[in-house]
Amino acid sequence: MSDAPIGIFDSGVGGLTVARSVRDQLPRESILYVGDTAHSPYGPKPLADVRRYALDVLDDLVAQDVKMLVIACNTASAAMLRDARERYDVPVIEVIQPAVRTAVTVTRNDRVGVIGTEATITSRAYNDAFAAAPHLELFTQACPEFVEHVEAGDTTSRELVALAEHYLTPLVEQGIDTLVLGCTHYPFLKGAISYVVGEGVRLVSSDTETANDVYRTLVRTGMERTSTEPPEYRYEATGTSAQEFLRLAEMFLGPEVSRVELVETGVIPIPHPARRAP
């Protein structure tokens, strides 16, 4: 079991930021990444639908004998984290609590902002997570169009910057000194976000902190990979265009993602991993 891959799931390419951080911290571990591009973006969808889509993907990852599940999607974490932890016998890591812990630690004036998809903000998952730090003042803002710009490869246009000003100015006016990027797509927009909020606001994204949780869980449970063979990295997408997934992955992460296989979830099980090339 220790040599099995870590299963990482997101609604699209955003979770690749988490996968990259896991690879950086745990270079011996194998990874199986699935982007549910058939249903992306999750943000505007009802949480009940997100829960169903996400559990379909996680069911198939578990069927492929992953040793851990990483829900690299804030919206999915908000929709079905408790279900996932009750449903599966492997550890389940998510992206909300790691970012919250960091934000609580680094804020200087106890005024913290959170941006996310419509579904994530409406779910109040971050409000619940920050409830353990009642001395903080929390300000949230949905940024529903950010994901569309990332998926289109736009991180610098005037339209994007104007949109960032529209979303983020109310948070800046509240005097926040820390901003949680509550969507794994948002690290791709750090330049525009930092430009709008200013250098005095610390940006907290969950990719590195989530990888820290993965590391701690593997060590605590004795599940570190022991094989001397090189690790395998496999990338899957549920949409209809492998080239579109690869285009975005290469744009943001470089040539390390060179192959993706299209898969189906739910009614038709994903084939056994032996079918796939590394």
Side-chain angles (χ1 to χ4, degrees):
M1 183 65 175
S2 64
D3 291 338
I6 296 169
I8 301 179
F9 153 70
D10 184 48
S11 62
V13 299
L16 290 171
T17 58
V18 176
R20 180 175 57 188
S21 292
V22 171
R23 286 183 60 168
D24 288 346
Q25 292 198 36
L26 296 158
R28 295 179 59 185
E29 296 293 335
S30 295
I31 292 173
L32 174 55
Y33 180 95
V34 178
D36 189 18
T37 50
H39 302 112
S40 182
Y42 278 4
K45 293 179 171 61
L47 285 178
D49 289 344
V50 171
R51 176 183 179 277
R52 176 164 54 86
Y53 300 146
L55 289 176
D56 276 349
V57 175
L58 295 183
D59 282 350
D60 288 323
L61 280 170
V62 170
Q64 294 188 74
D65 297 323
V66 298
K67 65 181 177 182
M68 172 185 291
L69 292 169
V70 181
I71 306 173
C73 175
N74 286 261
T75 305
S77 294
M80 41 66 73
L81 175 61
R82 181 175 299 178
D83 296 291
R85 287 183 168 159
E86 293 176 353
R87 187 181 184 98
Y88 307 116
D89 293 329
V90 297
V92 179
I93 307 297
E94 50 84 38
V95 290
I96 294 176
Q97 285 290 347
V100 168
R101 286 197 300 268
T102 300
V104 171
T105 301
V106 302
T107 181
R108 303 176 303 280
N109 67 0
D110 293 341
R111 299 175 74 83
V112 176
V114 176
I115 57 175
T117 66
E118 196 75 53
T120 296
I121 298 302
T122 302
S123 75
R124 297 182 61 82
Y126 274 95
N127 299 72
D128 293 341
F130 274 105
H135 62 286
L136 296 183
E137 289 189 82
L138 186 65
F139 306 91
T140 61
Q141 175 66 53
C143 304
E145 295 181 45
F146 271 176
V147 170
E148 296 176 16
H149 282 265
V150 171
E151 297 276 342
D154 173 23
T155 62
T156 59
S157 72
R158 291 184 178 180
E159 180 186 1
L160 171 67
V161 174
L163 187 65
E165 290 174 340
H166 170 70
Y167 287 147
L168 302 174
T169 297
L171 299 178
V172 174
E173 291 175 346
Q174 293 292 342
I176 64 167
D177 75 346
T178 303
L179 179 64
V180 176
L181 310 185
C183 174
T184 50
H185 284 70
Y186 294 177
F188 297 126
L189 301 179
K190 275 185 176 179
I193 293 171
S194 181
Y195 174 78
V196 172
V197 301
E199 296 180 359
V201 176
R202 170 77 175 268
L203 303 185
V204 176
S205 57
S206 54
D207 47 359
T208 301
E209 302 307 321
T210 300
N212 290 341
D213 269 16
V214 171
Y215 183 98
R216 284 190 289 265
T217 301
L218 289 181
V219 173
R220 186 178 67 249
T221 58
M223 294 172 63
E224 309 100 304
R225 187 170 183 265
T226 58
S227 174
T228 58
E229 296 296 319
E232 294 184 355
Y233 305 117
R234 302 199 304 276
Y235 301 92
E236 299 175 344
T238 62
T240 58
S241 174
Q243 289 306 311
E244 180 64 13
F245 182 95
L246 288 173
R247 181 186 69 81
L248 290 168
E250 184 172 359
M251 179 184 302
F252 294 120
L253 299 183
E256 67 180 59
V257 183
S258 60
R259 177 182 174 86
V260 63
E261 181 164 337
L262 299 179
V263 296
E264 295 185 63
T265 60
V267 178
I268 303 176
I270 293 178
H272 190 274
R275 284 189 49 184
R276 298 179 178 80

